[in-house]
Amino acid sequence: MIIEKLIRTLKGDANYKWESPYSTRDLFNVSFHRFVQVVRGLFLKPFLRKSSGLIFIGSNVKVRHAYQLTAGKNLILEDGVSINALSEQGITLGDHVSIARNSILFCTGIIAQKGTGITIGDRTWHKCPCLFCRAGRHYHWQ
């Protein structure tokens, strides 16, 4: 099945098996929504410090100082995510990271003290609205 091959490629998992209880209509709706998110990600990608995979961007996502943001493979920024990467080291998001709807990643609290940065490791999902704030030293979440 074409969807199974696509998901295997995106996940990098040759053993992935597709078992879907969804109708063709449901799959079309989800696929269309993901396509729109990828198109949004294509507009952001040239402005990032580095990016090595697809970026799925929901509606009303705001990314400030994108030139200080590094994204791994298959980043998902759900609706309403706000990122301000202004800092000494920027923000690094690992492979297969998902940031929940209405979450905030903010490196610098006040202009007088530039933050050092945030790192979120591979295969990390933050699924409730979260606030990642780091003014001062660098912090690493895994």
Side-chain angles (χ1 to χ4, degrees), residues 35-90:
F35 173 76
V36 170
Q37 289 180 327
V38 168
V39 170
R40 287 186 192 124
L42 290 174
F43 284 102
L44 175 65
K45 201 168 176 118
F47 299 100
L48 299 181
R49 178 188 305 162
K50 183 180 173 189
S51 173
S52 59
L54 290 176
I55 301 173
F56 298 85
I57 296 183
S59 61
N60 298 317
V61 171
K62 306 234 183 320
V63 180
R64 292 185 176 86
H65 306 281
Y67 60 91
Q68 291 191 305
L69 177 62
T70 300
K73 296 178 188 171
N74 304 326
L75 171 64
I76 299 173
L77 302 176
E78 294 182 5
D79 299 344
V81 169
S82 181
I83 297 175
N84 187 335
L86 178 62
S87 60
E88 292 172 9
Q89 297 174 12

